[in-house]
């Protein structure tokens, strides 16, 4: 830490109780009271340096009263005045980054403005030593926050100059010669990185140091580095670090600091935490990708718990929606804290986030005149989010208090082209049906309209065909489309087999025929299994021919053997 030594004499001051006495040998002729502390000094050394007390001394002498000066409003209090007194008596003492601000303000208050006086000495020390050092500037700025010092330090531009100095240093090329100290913050802290360009140790070294500042000063510093052109992802990293120090982002009871040097519990009240959350939301850069979606979702959860303003929560939901394709399922599970709501998770909040995402995709695709089929840029994003939403629905489907209309509304948010397979939504529907066995047939039908039976994988189709919770119509559709798929599969293999026989007749005829026979045998077994399932369904819930009539499907009479099988064979059209 920078240090300036002043004075040449040995210490003359002695503390007795709450009074400082000057042991120069001469009787005291003035008493200076600063708060509860008194100083018994001499007029001449003080008046030779300070202009402020002159009027006070003259008034007391005219009134023939004992000379007592009251300096309760002196910046820095008794500690600053002790240094002022030592300066006036030419006693040795040190000026450092931790006392220079209060001493500068006290000197200004006492009008110690002559050449080579205390004002000029402290100004020179600030300009040429303190503000040249990152660590000393931090220490000086912290002392500016004292209530008795802050107004005058603002008036003297000390705060602004400290912030400008810090901002300039934070924005400098990390390869420059300063700061000489090694970075205090590792490259990875609590697993948080910016999604666009993760900060390296040379970029985030200053996060921990500025996190000790009060929120008003921290906000001014963030504004300063923004004006100097610092990249949004680095700014977001600093704001996240500050938030994680003072907010319980991992739960209500976990508000400990993630600082490497300050492992302390946050002492902020709920009201102060709410105010901090709202300020943090405003400080985070608006640019998409600057702030990780994971952090935004954590901030949303704590803002809901602390009952932050609806405007701030809406801002977070909009930002999360803009980069929802970067979210993960666990972070999207937002607990429902409203006392009047019985559901475990806040599905309505997720619905709003999804709506913001779709609005952005819609606006983007409208610009490309390609919304119906999805543009090349938006299709991967909307597919990722659709799969994420299916996983989310499967997770919340087990909540018995989740209303059917809320499930259907969220599941039907995405267009048909968003899903290449409907296995995910089928899984969610299956869980919901099992956890809500009281649903009527009509409600089950409504729920199953969310999936396309033709877009189920073989594994999902097999499961659906045996799922007793599905309506009969859906089960028959699954079997019908699976039979069509099976026939197409068989036809394709016969074509391949024929081509293989023609081109490799001499060397591979026997091997190919055996392979084809084996595959056909397996397919026939699958077909027999499907026939068996259909017979069971027809015996309990109706005939196959009625199913075809119900859906207006045309069939050939010769494709059915009603007496023997009551079901279409593998060659039905």
């Amino acid at each position: 830490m920078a240090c300036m030594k002043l004075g040449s004499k040995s210490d003359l001051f002695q503390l007795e109780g709450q009074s400082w006495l000057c042991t120069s040998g001469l009787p005291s002729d003035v008493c200076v009271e600063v708060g509860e502390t008194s100083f018994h000094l001499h007029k001449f050394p003080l008046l030779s340096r300070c202009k402020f007390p002159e009027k006070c001394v003259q008034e007391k002498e005219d009134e023939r009263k004992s000379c007592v000066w009251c300096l309760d409003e002196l910046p820095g209090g008794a500690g600053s005045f002790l240094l002022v007194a030592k300066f006036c008596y030419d006693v040795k003492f040190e000026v450092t980054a931790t006392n220079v601000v209060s001493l500068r303000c006290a000197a200004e208050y006492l009008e110690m403005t002559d050449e080579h006086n205390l004002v000029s000495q402290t100004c020179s020390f600030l300009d040429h030593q303190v503000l040249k050092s990152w660590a000393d500037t931090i220490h000086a700025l912290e002392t500016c926050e004292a209530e008795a010092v802050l107004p005058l330090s603002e008036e003297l531009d000390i705060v602004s100059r400290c912030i400008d100095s810090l901002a300039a240093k934070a924005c400098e090329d990390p390869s420059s010669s300063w700061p000489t100290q090694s970075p205090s913050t590792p490259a990875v802290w609590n697993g948080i990185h910016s999604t666009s360009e993760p900060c390296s140790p040379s970029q985030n070294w200053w996060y921990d140091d500025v996190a000790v500042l009060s929120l008003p000063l921290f906000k001014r510093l963030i504004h300063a580095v923004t004006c100097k052109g610092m990249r949004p992802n680095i700014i977001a990293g600093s704001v996240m670090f500050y938030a994680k120090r003072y907010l319980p982002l991992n739960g209500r009871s976990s508000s400990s600091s993630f600082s490497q040097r300050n492992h302390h519990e946050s002492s902020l009240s709920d009201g102060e935490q709410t105010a901090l959350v709202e300020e943090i939301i405003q400080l985070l850069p608006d640019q998409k990708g600057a702030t990780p979606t994971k952090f935004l979702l954590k901030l949303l959860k704590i803002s809901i718990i602390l009952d932050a303003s609806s405007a701030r929560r809406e801002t977070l939901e909009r930002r999360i929606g803009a980069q929802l394709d970067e979210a993960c399922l666990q972070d999207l599970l937002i607990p429902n804290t409203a006392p009047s709501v019985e559901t475990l998770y806040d599905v309505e909040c997720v619905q709003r986030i999804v709506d913001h995402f779709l609005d952005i995709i819609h606006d983007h695709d409208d610009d490309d005149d390609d919304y119906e089929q999805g543009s090349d840029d938006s299709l991967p994003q909307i597919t990722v989010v659709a799969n994420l939403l299916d996983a989310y629905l499967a997770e919340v489907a087990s909540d018995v208090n989740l209303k059917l209309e809320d499930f259907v509304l969220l599941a039907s948010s995405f267009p048909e082209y968003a899903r290449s397979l409907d296995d995910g939504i089928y899984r969610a529907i299956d869980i919901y049906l099992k956890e809500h066995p009281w649903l009527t047939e009509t409600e089950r039908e409504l729920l199953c309209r969310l999936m396309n039976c033709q877009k189920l994988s073989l594994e999902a189709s097999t499961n659906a065909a045996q799922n007793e919770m599905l309506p009969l119509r859906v089960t028959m559709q699954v079997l019908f489309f699976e039979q069509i798929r099976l026939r197409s599969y068989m036809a394709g293999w016969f074509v391949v087999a024929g081509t293989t026989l023609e081109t490799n007749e001499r060397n591979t005829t026997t091997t190919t025929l055996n392979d084809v026979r084996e595959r056909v045998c397996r397919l026939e077994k699958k077909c027999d299994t499907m026939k068996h399932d259909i017979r069971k369904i027809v015996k309990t819930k109706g005939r196959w021919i009625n199913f075809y009539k119900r859906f207006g499907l045309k069939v050939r009479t010769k494709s059915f053997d009603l007496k023997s099988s009551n079901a279409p064979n593998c060659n039905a059209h």
Side-chain angles (χ1 to χ4, degrees), residues 322-346:
Q323 51 193 61
L324 186 56
D325 55 309
E326 298 173 358
C328 64
L329 173 61
Q330 193 61 35
D331 296 323
L332 205 60
L333 297 174
I334 303 172
N336 209 333
T337 59
S340 59
V341 181
E342 297 179 350
T343 54
L344 182 60
Y345 297 110
D346 195 340

Side-chain angles (χ1 to χ4, degrees), residues 551-568:
F551 292 97
L553 300 175
K554 294 181 180 182
V555 299
R556 296 182 184 178
T557 305
K558 66 179 183 179
S559 300
F560 294 87
D561 186 356
L562 300 179
K563 294 181 180 180
S564 60
S565 66
N566 291 327

Side-chain angles (χ1 to χ4, degrees), residues 127 232 286 548:
D127 293 340
D286 286 331
Y548 271 75

Side-chain angles (χ1 to χ4, degrees), residues 351 354-355 357-362 365 370-375 378-387 389-390 408-422 425 449-452 455:
Q351 179 71 65
V354 169
D355 289 342
F357 170 78
L358 293 174
D359 288 342
I360 294 173
I361 294 295
H362 191 172
D365 288 343
D370 197 18
Y371 178 67
E372 290 300 324
Q373 296 301 323
S375 68
S378 66
L379 188 55
Q381 296 181 39
I382 200 170
T383 300
V384 169
V385 176
N387 292 334
L389 185 62
D390 290 346
V408 172
L409 181 62
L410 186 57
S412 59
S413 300
F414 288 89
E416 177 69 20
Y417 67 81
R419 297 181 178 94
S420 57
L421 281 177
D422 275 15
I425 190 62
R449 291 196 191 109
L450 295 170
M451 68 176 177
N452 185 345
K455 295 172 67 175

Side-chain angles (χ1 to χ4, degrees), residues 227-412:
C227 292
K228 291 183 181 296
M230 179 174 283
R231 296 211 311 271
N233 65 303
I234 302 178
I235 295 174
S238 177
V239 176
M240 288 189 294
F241 192 94
Y242 192 89
K244 294 186 77 66
R245 171 171 291 219
Y246 299 106
L247 292 175
L249 293 176
N250 288 329
R252 188 79 171 190
S253 61
S254 175
S255 58
S256 60
S257 167
F258 288 93
S259 164
Q260 297 295 317
R261 298 184 301 177
N262 299 284
H263 298 279
H264 63 274
E265 293 291 326
S266 173
S267 59
L268 299 180
S269 65
D270 284 355
E272 291 171 329
Q273 288 185 353
T274 301
L276 178 57
V277 164
E278 296 185 351
E279 293 290 352
I280 291 297
I281 295 171
Q282 284 188 299
L283 285 176
L284 288 171
D286 286 331
Q287 289 85 346
K288 178 181 177 181
T291 308
T293 309
K294 183 182 183 70
F295 178 82
L296 292 176
L297 283 164
K298 283 189 175 184
L299 197 59
L300 178 60
K301 291 176 184 178
I302 192 61
S303 67
I304 294 173
I305 293 174
L306 295 173
D307 195 24
S309 68
S310 57
R312 295 291 176 266
R313 294 201 300 266
E314 183 181 356
T315 298
L316 277 178
E317 291 171 358
R318 175 177 51 81
R319 292 183 181 178
I320 294 169
Q323 51 193 61
L324 186 56
D325 55 309
E326 298 173 358
C328 64
L329 173 61
Q330 193 61 35
D331 296 323
L332 205 60
L333 297 174
I334 303 172
N336 209 333
T337 59
S340 59
V341 181
E342 297 179 350
T343 54
L344 182 60
Y345 297 110
D346 195 340
V347 179
E348 293 183 0
C349 178
V350 174
Q351 179 71 65
R352 292 192 296 270
I353 293 174
V354 169
D355 289 342
H356 284 303
F357 170 78
L358 293 174
D359 288 342
I360 294 173
I361 294 295
H362 191 172
D363 293 341
H364 174 72
D365 288 343
D366 278 350
D367 294 339
D368 295 338
D369 296 326
D370 197 18
Y371 178 67
E372 290 300 324
Q373 296 301 323
S375 68
D376 292 339
D377 293 335
S378 66
L379 188 55
Q381 296 181 39
I382 200 170
T383 300
V384 169
V385 176
N387 292 334
L388 174 64
L389 185 62
D390 290 346
Y392 176 82
L393 288 168
E395 189 70 28
V396 302
S398 58
D399 188 349
V400 295
N401 293 317
L402 180 60
K403 296 180 180 179
L404 177 64
E405 51 266 32
D406 292 336
F407 184 94
V408 172
L409 181 62
L410 186 57
S412 59

